[in-house]
Amino acid sequence: GAQGEQLAVEHLQRLGLHVVDRNVRTRTGELDIVAVDDTTVVFCEVKTRRAGVAANPFDGLYPDQCRRIRTLAVAWLGGAGKGVRRPTVRFDAIGITIDGQGRLQTLEHLEGCF
């Protein structure tokens, strides 16, 4: 989890996004990464898997979880993110596969996927 999220943060930063919050936990769930650029607030779910142990990282991204993340995002925008205003909100997912030594094998970024 934590290693995959750090790799995802570094990826988003290379794309020019600024991470404004991480691991926002509530009773109903967690927002992995909240990032912004000049026009967009991005709520990013990170799925990390070990190579050879599990299939596609996105297999763990279920419709109920996507709905919960949207609900958490609304709450975040009305609370901790009250000062973060952009014209667009987007929900992304980043799937990461690492090998047995913890090295990055693949990183797939799906923009606006839910």
Side-chain angles (χ1 to χ4, degrees):
Q3 181 182 9
E5 286 183 16
Q6 183 57 40
L7 290 166
V9 163
E10 293 167 8
H11 168 74
L12 293 169
Q13 290 171 333
R14 282 191 299 274
L15 294 176
L17 291 158
H18 173 71
V19 174
V20 295
D21 219 340
R22 289 177 69 175
N23 301 314
V24 179
R25 290 182 175 91
T26 70
R27 293 180 303 133
T28 58
E30 177 182 3
L31 292 171
D32 290 338
I33 300 171
V34 183
V36 298
D37 64 14
D38 291 338
T39 61
T40 308
V41 178
V42 179
F43 294 93
C44 188
E45 177 68 11
V46 180
K47 294 296 186 183
T48 305
R49 300 291 184 262
R50 290 221 180 259
V53 175
N56 186 326
F58 297 120
D59 289 348
L61 191 62
Y62 300 106
D64 286 347
Q65 182 181 28
C66 295
R67 281 190 291 277
R68 185 171 53 252
I69 292 168
R70 286 180 170 277
T71 301
L72 292 168
V74 169
W76 186 87
L77 288 167
K82 208 168 205 164
V84 180
R85 292 289 178 246
R86 303 293 190 277
T88 306
V89 173
R90 189 176 77 211
F91 294 89
D92 292 3
I94 295 180
I96 294 176
T97 304
I98 55 176
D99 68 13
Q101 287 74 44
R103 294 178 299 226
L104 178 65
Q105 294 295 299
T106 62
L107 185 151
E108 187 176 1
H109 182 178
L110 304 177
E111 293 185 8
C113 63
F114 66 92

